[in-house]
Amino acid sequence: LDAPAAEPFKRLPVLDRPVRFDEVNKKVFHKTCWHCHSEPDYAIGDGGPGNSGGFGFKPRGVDLSSYQGISSGYLDESGSRKSLFSPAKSGTPRLVEALVARHAEEGGAATGEVRGMPLGLPPLSAEEIQLVETWVAQGRPR
């Protein structure tokens, strides 16, 4: 028998209330992301595979440990700095697209140009993604 198809992930609408960096950092970035995406000095190590490379991945220079780090973006395939907030092919900001893509990966679907995050871990909840997406949509207030 074939297994039933996984339900597609349903994104929640952006919140009506203000969302600031400190809240997103506490509930998402510092809780889940910085272990693999931070500056080596902050991580007291190498910065993780999402920053300095490892586990077969090229260094991407993604630092989610601070507002300044997130604002500095990532290194693309050619080594050029790009914004984590630039739109992916879907039009969704890359940072949000990576969080949503993890749900698709868990369901066995291909995710295209953006690898799902957190890599190899359970996806973030719809509410956590909503918080990040709201913060980005509101212009990433400090």
Side-chain angles (χ1 to χ4, degrees):
L1 295 171
D2 290 330
E7 287 290 317
F9 176 69
K10 293 185 178 29
R11 285 165 55 186
L12 299 173
V14 295
L15 297 166
D16 291 332
R17 67 174 179 82
V19 174
R20 304 190 78 67
F21 175 74
D22 287 343
E23 181 182 2
V24 178
N25 189 45
K26 179 181 177 184
K27 293 180 178 177
V28 180
F29 299 144
H30 192 74
K31 180 179 139 193
T32 304
C33 308
W34 74 272
H35 305 284
C36 294
H37 297 284
S38 64
E39 284 299 314
D41 289 344
Y42 182 84
I44 311 172
D46 68 3
N51 187 302
S52 19
F55 300 118
F57 295 98
K58 292 180 178 182
R60 292 298 184 184
V62 177
D63 177 9
L64 300 179
S65 66
S66 69
Y67 188 89
Q68 294 79 12
I70 292 167
S71 298
S72 71
Y74 73 100
L75 299 171
D76 70 5
E77 287 295 322
S78 69
S80 297
R81 278 263 166 216
K82 302 287 183 184
S83 173
L84 290 168
F85 310 109
S86 62
K89 288 180 183 170
S90 68
T92 300
R94 290 185 69 86
L95 177 63
V96 175
E97 185 82 356
L99 302 177
V100 172
R102 186 70 189 114
H103 283 271
E105 290 172 354
E106 284 283 295
T111 61
E113 70 171 315
V114 178
R115 181 176 301 279
M117 293 291 156
L119 183 67
L121 295 173
L124 296 182
S125 70
E127 293 78 14
E128 289 168 319
I129 294 171
Q130 177 188 44
L131 192 67
V132 173
E133 189 164 19
T134 299
W135 176 67
V136 172
Q138 291 178 358
R140 305 178 307 275
R142 288 182 175 257

